[in-house]
Amino acid sequence: ITFTNKAAAEMRERVDKMIGDSAAEVKLFTFHTFCGILLRSDIESLKDYKRNFVIYDRDSCKQLMKQIWEEFNLDEERFPISKVESIISNAKNQLIDAEEYFQSANGFYEKQIAEIYKRYTLKLKQNNALDFDDMLMLATKLLQENDEVREKYQNKFDYIMIDEYQDTNNLQEEFISLIENNNVYMVGDLKQSIYRFRNANPKLFKNKYDR
């Protein structure tokens, strides 16, 4: 498992050269690709989702947000779309769904964000769509809540190797822990963490290394 399509393609090329025909047995994914495959197979175990979901890119998500701003008659200066998107993304990366965020919201501003988050989630479901944060959040929730699915993926791979572990965030760490089979190998360099803006937590790698 790695972080970018480019890295996955480079690894595929190297593995193919190293071990020839046996390379077909080695599965190489980004986090999002792996979660997408898992969800295509098992997402219907979660309520309100279907296997033939579409994945919205950033532009599609932005258009959905603009619809909500018009429906709620929101002032973009007070509620900048990019800032609200970031708040919702951070919530999803902490496994906080729209209902949980709504229940814990305090004050006018936070409650308004909660209403936007709920409407955004509803619109995604109505369109049978996921955004990129949904892919990892829903895959993790599915593994947490469904013993059968979790055990299937724990038994699926003999070894799990994670590249650039210093850029793993808490949600990715939780996802990995749920498929872990006691044969996990992590590669990383604490000095090369570049995804802090995506909630990367190098301490996760350091804590494992220190053990």
Side-chain angles (χ1 to χ4, degrees):
I1 303 176
T2 188
F3 284 83
T4 66
N5 291 325
K6 181 180 179 182
E10 289 176 356
M11 288 183 184
R12 171 53 64 195
E13 184 177 347
R14 292 180 187 180
V15 169
D16 289 350
K17 288 180 179 179
M18 289 172 63
I19 59 176
D21 293 342
S22 298
E25 298 299 315
V26 179
K27 308 302 179 185
L28 285 162
F29 307 112
T30 64
F31 275 99
H32 285 95
T33 301
F34 188 9
C35 290
I37 292 170
L38 185 156
L39 292 171
R40 289 288 180 204
S41 174
D42 296 295
I43 195 171
E44 290 181 358
S45 297
L46 296 172
K47 186 180 179 182
D48 298 330
Y49 293 96
K50 297 179 181 178
R51 290 181 185 176
N52 63 337
F53 61 83
V54 296
I55 301 169
Y56 275 6
D57 60 18
R58 294 186 185 281
D59 287 341
S60 298
C61 293
K62 185 80 71 178
Q63 289 301 315
L64 207 59
M65 285 292 191
K66 287 181 178 179
Q67 293 176 20
I68 295 169
W69 258 244
E70 291 178 3
E71 291 173 10
F72 286 2
N73 194 27
L74 293 169
D75 181 355
E76 281 200 50
E77 288 191 5
R78 188 170 188 186
F79 294 95
I81 290 179
S82 59
K83 182 177 180 179
V84 175
E85 286 180 320
S86 179
I87 292 170
I88 292 174
S89 176
N90 286 337
K92 290 184 178 185
N93 276 279
Q94 296 176 61
L95 277 176
I96 302 171
D97 63 24
E99 187 59 37
E100 291 169 321
Y101 190 93
F102 182 83
Q103 294 297 329
S104 63
N106 291 307
F108 171 79
Y109 191 86
E110 200 169 288
K111 287 181 178 179
Q112 184 64 74
I113 301 294
E115 292 286 357
I116 295 168
Y117 189 3
K118 286 184 70 174
R119 183 63 62 89
Y120 176 64
T121 299
L122 177 62
K123 284 183 173 291
L124 286 172
K125 287 182 178 180
Q126 288 173 338
N127 294 334
N128 194 28
L130 309 180
D131 65 19
F132 287 121
D133 293 313
D134 285 329
M135 295 175 71
L136 194 53
M137 181 182 77
L138 293 177
T140 302
K141 281 184 174 287
L142 178 56
L143 292 170
Q144 286 177 332
E145 296 172 5
N146 192 303
D147 294 343
E148 183 179 347
V149 174
R150 183 173 63 254
E151 289 171 8
K152 178 173 75 172
Y153 286 94
Q154 287 174 344
N155 295 326
K156 190 174 181 65
F157 305 104
D158 294 321
Y159 303 94
I160 299 170
M161 303 176 70
I162 315 293
D163 188 35
E164 304 291 0
Y165 208 89
Q166 76 278 353
D167 286 323
T168 304
N169 64 27
N170 289 14
L171 179 54
Q172 290 161 337
E173 165 78 2
E174 175 66 10
F175 175 78
I176 292 164
S177 74
L178 290 163
I179 62 168
E180 189 168 331
N181 59 4
N182 297 319
N183 288 317
V184 178
Y185 186 82
M186 294 157 287
V187 178
D189 183 345
L190 292 172
K191 295 179 181 178
Q192 294 187 29
S193 180
I194 60 172
Y195 285 128
R196 305 290 181 93
F197 66 96
R198 294 183 185 172
N199 299 307
N201 183 1
K203 290 181 180 179
L204 295 171
F205 187 35
K206 186 176 186 303
N207 291 341
K208 288 181 180 289
Y209 179 79
D210 288 344
R211 286 189 308 203

